[in-house]
Amino acid sequence: MYAVLGDTGRGSEGRPNAGFIVTGAGVVVIDALASPRQGEALLRTIRRVTRQPVRWLVLTHHHPDHHFGAIVFRKAGARVIAHPDTRVLAAEAGPDALVADWVRVMGVEAMRGFEFANVPDRPVTGSDTLRLGGRTLVITHPGAGHSAGDLMVWLPKERVLFAGDLLIEDGVTMVVDGSARALQHGLAVIDSLAPRIAVPGHGAIPARPTELVARTRAYITGLQADMRAAVEKGVPMLRALATLPPPDETRPVSLNSRRRRNAARVYVEEERAYMGLEDSLP
Ligand SMILES: [Zn+2]
């Protein structure tokens, strides 16, 4: 079992993490990285370890930095396991605009050969157990905390969790595509698993998974309390956000942008809950 780490210390802006599991009957890859070029680099890394065929690609969610390399694995023969709900804010303007934006981020060369390959052959909306070559992977939808299509990959025997972007190195998980309430549920699920190792979606693997979960929970709980207090006092959203540093328009997932965009999302969530329009938990 291998974690392939992207960049550390760069929050959600760095290259994401990926992983792969070599079984006696083929390889399972977890996430495909942000472009065909990055996908190819990941496949080369796998090939340095094993000649086993790549059987499955599991996508932890449908943000472009986690699946835009998926076509490489499909062409290598993998079938895709993912949540069928592929909606993300970044694709609001349509798939062509999403790809055009992403080409600007990654560069034309890195995106050469790109095709969408994130629609699952094996959709997971609850929990699904994949047994392959003596390994067991439990793939679970923990609710729409980070995005509608979140999945986590749990290896019960090894007690290793691939958490996707539910966990981020700096503890500031983005909820603008999901919800703080569902993220709280997801964090509780992680605690109940008590992983020995938890691989976050971005950044270093924490020495103690419980500490990163606790840090994430403290951040999101504090934000919920602040926004709830603002709603109850009738403070308008813009004033409630005034204490936060401004977002960087060109860096939508920088720390400042994440904090501010999360605050806006959670304000709306708390306002809906206050008005009795609470969305039901997943
Ligand atoms: Zn993400």
Side-chain angles (χ1 to χ4, degrees), residues 61 63 66 146 165:
H61 63 297
H63 282 147
H66 294 259
H146 173 68
D165 283 4

Side-chain angles (χ1 to χ4, degrees), residues 4-18 33-35 38 41-42 65-66 102 106 165 169 200-204:
V4 182
L5 296 180
D7 300 314
T8 55
R10 295 192 56 207
S12 300
E13 291 187 293
R15 283 174 306 151
N17 298 329
L33 304 181
S35 66
Q38 286 188 8
L42 175 56
D65 55 336
H66 294 259
W102 205 249
M106 302 303 298
D165 283 4
E169 182 176 28
H202 294 260

